[in-house]
Amino acid sequence: NEAKEIPIAIPRFFWQGSRPYRLTLPAAMKTDETDTADTTEEIRSMVYELIRRIANIPDDMPIGEGTRLIDELGMDSLALMDLSVALESAFQKTLPAIDTLVTVRDCLRVADGQVQESAPLPPATWFARPFRDKLNMPGAGNIVDIFLQQYNRHPREVLLSDRTGVWTRRKLFLSASLVAGYLRHLPGARIGIMMPSVPATAAIWLAALLSGKTPVFLNWTTGKANLVHCIKLTNIRHIISAGPLYEQMQRQDILPMDLTYLLIDQVVKNFSYPRKALAWVRSYLPYRTRSINVPEVAAVLFTSGSEASPKAVPLTHQNLLSNIRDIVTVLNLTVKDSVLAMLPPFHSFGLIVMLMPVATGVRAVFHANPTESARLTALIADFQVSLLATPPTFLRAMLEQARNTHRLASVRYAFVGAEKCPESVYQTFASLCPEASLCEGYGITECSPAVAVNRPGNAVPGTVGHALPSVHTAIVREEAGRIAARAREGETGMLLVRGPSIFHGYLGDAPSPFVTFEGHSWYRTGDQVSMDENGRLTFQGRLSRFAKIGGEMISLPQIENILQHTFVQQDDTRAHPEEEEGTALAVISSGEDHRTEIVLFTPAPLSLEEVNQALKSSGLSNLHRIKRILHMPIPLLGSGKTDYQALKILLEQHPPHATA
């Protein structure tokens, strides 16, 4: 056991290269009895409790920092594995390797962030001088055409990367063309894709388009019932996934089993050598798409299902490419920029980030799990990432992880959306990244997704900025379900949008979301916004998130914002449940007309008296009073948004007489 072999990494797939390489072993940690871990009593207490529980150590048995986990506590390899998982989960730290946990002191240092994962550094090609001086701005055509035009000019250009290596345009095309040949012979016009945020997913997306099939990106976090609904709605018969993800979903009994799952690691393994050789030769020849019947729809996504069953949203090539052009323009991105791609592609935000390198050449660094904030901040530092695109929930976790470090020094912009950005995130970001811009925006899946965003250097916290260059907006007052007139300056009204990034309608029998106003067809967003004298938009909430009480429309997001500001962002003496649960509180309404009540969900120990006093002090009327509080964690969707549909179910399970 003392003579350890140096571990060798053997590439599993052809796109990972062919050369084995040595892994770097983490440096051994000190076990000197006189050495003491410098950590807080809270961390120390939690670590000791974890060790006692996992090793089944009685409370009266003394444990010191120098106590050896194997020799003295009798922990075997399985127990050490359980302990490492528990430490990573409880403290959101990355463990270098299990064999670094020798003593209790080692556990304390891991929990306190004093020991981090020794990950392979980016290859020199990642930092090589770009082939071009300016980014390619996608013009007319489809995604495949635009990618191949750039591929024929710069096949060796580095586009994608993760910890396993870099992907050039040639590698991406080679992988996509190989998989496309396999998909082309499958029955059906659409193909399901259930993949995390990894470079191979971009290749599979291109492969589907090259094979003439419409890609349908499925959300495996939405629950089995919604997943079955989405599969039936799009009539898909085959789903491409990855072995580890598929096995995980099987264990959780998420997957419907009446269709065929194609595991990409197994599919690629079965490709013959002549087939691979032919694809390799073709990758060195100019390629055209004249003979390829690329589908008009570039991707089918689904609405979040936070308040109703998901709807299928077909997005065309024009929809997505026009949104990319706007984003690159307003953020002033250059060939030197790189973006962190960690949102799954079933999220419209994640899909547009995945498209950016394919369409423009902005490089992307991938990571499959957006909740692993320690690994994400390490990626940002190692790859010198300049652009973050994320919901505020995940950005907040990364900021907390990066405190007292320089891991975010390369960040120029953080582009946040999908939910309202708390004031505390603005403040923390400003303190850790004083030279960078935090640009909050607003988007909808049906709009590909970005509609408006604050511009770098001109961001106003609390607003979502100006509409993108190609997006036209109108804010209207509605009466009895009909448009009455345009809203006045500063007045809250229904947001209507039109432009090339707006989709053309849902699949299936969902009602049309379009209305006619001033001679144009507009997409009715269902969102309430206001606009100031400078044209800057402020999101006020979903129309469905208003409660009608006493004849007045009561904004539930407004109540949430006040309570967040009062009890989460300012009170440092209170526990911050949002750091553990992902979000601190949520407000929904129940009942109808005179029986309507407003209910607060929160894991925090808040009382009715103090929350209603906070609302009263903020100037809200008694119509905004909270009637009940249910003390429980807030359920989240895979996108990080609050799952209001799940909250409604929980509310039904807790009628007024069963208040928690």
Side-chain angles (χ1 to χ4, degrees):
N1 290 337
E2 291 298 325
K4 297 183 178 179
E5 296 182 1
I6 297 177
I8 303 295
I10 306 295
R12 295 181 61 191
F13 312 115
F14 71 90
W15 60 70
Q16 295 175 335
S18 58
R19 299 173 117 190
Y21 59 94
R22 292 185 175 187
L23 291 176
T24 304
L25 286 172
M29 292 191 286
K30 297 180 180 179
T31 56
D32 185 0
E33 291 296 328
T34 61
D35 191 19
T36 303
D38 183 16
T39 186
T40 65
E41 285 302 318
E42 181 182 6
I43 290 178
R44 186 179 299 273
S45 175
M46 292 176 64
V47 169
Y48 273 68
E49 182 180 350
L50 285 175
I51 293 174
R52 287 188 181 276
R53 175 172 58 81
I54 293 172
N56 197 24
I57 304 300
D59 293 339
D60 57 353
M61 177 179 172
I63 298 178
E65 285 194 22
T67 302
R68 302 177 72 84
L69 303 175
I70 296 177
D71 300 339
E72 298 178 64
L73 299 184
M75 298 182 72
D76 58 16
S77 59
L78 292 178
L80 284 177
M81 176 66 76
D82 290 341
L83 179 59
S84 68
V85 171
L87 289 170
E88 288 195 347
S89 175
F91 300 99
Q92 288 293 297
K93 308 296 181 183
T94 53
L95 186 66
I98 294 177
D99 58 6
T100 59
L101 296 181
V102 178
T103 67
V104 172
R105 185 182 302 110
D106 299 335
C107 300
L108 292 171
R109 286 176 170 161
V110 168
D112 199 42
Q114 300 173 30
V115 180
Q116 292 295 320
E117 181 180 40
S118 179
L121 294 176
T125 52
W126 178 257
F127 300 104
R129 186 180 181 276
F131 285 87
R132 295 165 288 106
D133 295 327
K134 294 182 179 180
L135 286 177
N136 295 301
M137 292 297 287
N142 59 55
I143 292 170
V144 175
D145 283 333
I146 288 169
F147 171 76
L148 290 177
Q149 289 169 14
Q150 298 178 32
Y151 166 73
N152 289 331
R153 296 192 196 103
H154 306 296
R156 294 185 295 113
E157 184 177 33
V158 172
L159 287 186
L160 319 173
S161 188
D162 60 7
R163 287 296 188 189
T164 66
V166 298
W167 286 54
T168 61
R169 285 191 186 277
R170 172 167 286 125
K171 184 175 180 179
L172 182 57
F173 172 69
L174 176 60
S175 303
S177 59
L178 262 174
V179 177
Y182 175 82
L183 299 180
R184 194 171 290 119
H185 303 291
L186 297 177
R190 301 187 183 112
I191 185 80
I193 298 177
M194 194 180 292
M195 291 284 293
S197 181
V198 293
T201 306
I204 292 170
W205 186 10
L206 275 177
L209 296 175
L210 283 167
S211 70
K213 297 192 181 298
T214 300
V216 178
F217 290 91
L218 296 166
N219 180 357
W220 62 87
T221 70
T222 190
K224 190 171 185 177
N226 280 343
L227 191 56
V228 170
H229 166 78
C230 294
I231 290 171
K232 289 181 178 179
L233 191 58
T234 51
N235 193 30
I236 57 175
R237 299 160 62 181
H238 296 82
I239 295 177
I240 304 176
S241 189
L245 178 61
Y246 174 78
E247 293 169 4
Q248 176 187 342
M249 290 186 290
Q250 267 196 320
R251 288 193 297 270
Q252 298 174 358
D253 191 27
I254 293 175
L255 298 175
M257 301 309 296
D258 55 348
L259 66 167
T260 303
Y261 293 89
L262 308 172
L263 305 185
I264 193 62
D265 35 355
Q266 297 298 322
V267 169
V268 172
K269 187 185 297 183
N270 293 330
F271 288 157
S272 66
Y273 285 106
R275 187 175 187 174
K276 294 178 183 178
L278 181 60
W280 181 81
V281 171
R282 285 177 174 172
S283 71
Y284 281 84
L285 302 175
Y287 205 89
R288 298 290 183 268
T289 60
R290 294 170 186 167
S291 61
I292 300 175
N293 184 23
V294 177
E296 180 183 355
V297 173
V300 177
L301 300 180
F302 296 90
T303 56
S304 63
S306 61
E307 298 170 12
S309 295
K311 295 188 284 289
V313 180
L315 298 174
T316 66
H317 297 264
Q318 184 191 32
N319 292 154
L320 294 169
L321 292 174
S322 62
N323 211 242
I324 287 285
R325 284 194 296 270
D326 283 348
I327 292 172
V328 171
T329 300
V330 300
L331 293 184
N332 195 27
L333 300 182
T334 72
V335 291
K336 296 181 180 179
D337 281 308
S338 56
V339 60
L340 180 64
M342 48 80 163
L343 290 174
F346 62 70
H347 192 299
S348 57
F349 209 176
L351 189 72
I352 207 74
V353 169
M354 183 174 291
L355 179 58
M356 287 178 71
V358 174
T360 70
V362 172
R363 295 169 302 155
V365 183
F366 287 76
H367 189 70
N369 190 342
T371 67
E372 294 178 338
S373 52
R375 287 185 169 91
L376 290 171
T377 54
L379 274 175
I380 294 169
D382 291 346
F383 286 83
Q384 294 294 285
V385 173
S386 59
L387 172 62
L388 308 181
T390 169
T393 296
F394 298 138
L395 177 60
R396 177 176 54 204
M398 286 188 280
L399 293 173
E400 290 297 326
Q401 191 63 236
R403 286 185 185 274
N404 304 317
T405 72
H406 298 286
R407 286 188 166 187
L408 303 183
S410 62
V411 174
R412 292 175 61 208
Y413 312 121
F415 178 28
V416 297
E419 59 182 346
K420 183 174 177 59
C421 187
E423 184 181 338
S424 60
V425 174
Y426 276 102
Q427 295 171 352
T428 307
F429 184 85
S431 65
L432 294 180
C433 308
E435 303 299 321
S437 297
L438 177 54
C439 303
E440 183 175 358
Y442 160 77
I444 316 172
T445 300
E446 293 89 337
C447 299
S448 304
V451 172
V453 64
N454 275 284
R455 276 37 170 188
N458 189 29
V460 176
T463 75
V464 294
H466 295 83
L468 294 180
S470 68
V471 177
H472 301 276
T473 64
I475 303 174
V476 299
R477 289 187 285 112
E478 294 184 325
E479 296 177 2
R482 299 173 63 88
I483 299 175
R486 278 187 179 263
R488 294 184 294 272
E489 182 181 295
E491 182 182 10
T492 296
M494 174 61 61
L495 176 64
L496 309 180
V497 295
R498 62 182 177 89
S501 60
I502 314 304
F503 85 136
H504 300 300
Y506 300 111
L507 294 180
D509 57 359
S512 172
F514 298 98
V515 296
T516 300
F517 177 63
E518 295 182 345
H520 295 283
S521 177
W522 301 77
Y523 168 62
R524 182 180 179 274
T525 64
D527 290 331
Q528 298 281 300
V529 303
S530 60
M531 180 186 291
D532 64 16
E533 66 278 6
N534 297 316
R536 185 177 278 108
L537 300 173
T538 298
F539 178 74
Q540 304 291 356
R542 294 286 296 172
L543 180 63
S544 58
R545 299 217 60 232
F546 281 74
K548 193 168 186 179
I549 303 177
E552 298 290 335
M553 296 297 287
I554 305 300
S555 170
L556 302 181
Q558 182 183 26
I559 296 175
E560 286 180 350
N561 294 338
I562 291 172
L563 297 181
Q564 285 270 12
H565 181 77
T566 303
F567 298 108
V568 178
Q569 299 174 19
Q570 292 187 342
D571 189 354
D572 293 331
T573 64
R574 184 184 299 275
H576 292 267
E578 81 280 8
E579 295 177 4
E580 298 178 2
E581 306 296 340
T583 188
L585 52 84
V587 173
I588 67 173
S589 63
S590 67
E592 297 179 358
D593 301 328
H594 65 280
R595 295 192 299 270
T596 299
E597 63 173 3
I598 300 175
V599 181
L600 170 65
F601 284 81
T602 178
L606 302 177
S607 68
L608 276 174
E609 182 180 1
E610 59 183 332
V611 297
N612 285 323
Q613 181 58 45
L615 296 176
K616 183 178 180 180
S617 299
S618 69
L620 296 185
S621 69
N622 284 334
L623 295 177
H624 296 75
R625 288 180 60 84
I626 301 293
K627 295 295 182 67
R628 285 198 288 151
I629 300 179
L630 294 175
H631 295 285
M632 58 182 65
I634 309 299
L636 299 179
L637 297 167
S639 62
K641 293 181 181 179
T642 299
D643 189 343
Y644 288 102
Q645 191 173 10
L647 286 178
K648 290 177 182 177
I649 295 174
L650 287 172
L651 188 60
E652 292 174 359
Q653 297 171 351
H654 294 78
H657 65 274
T659 303

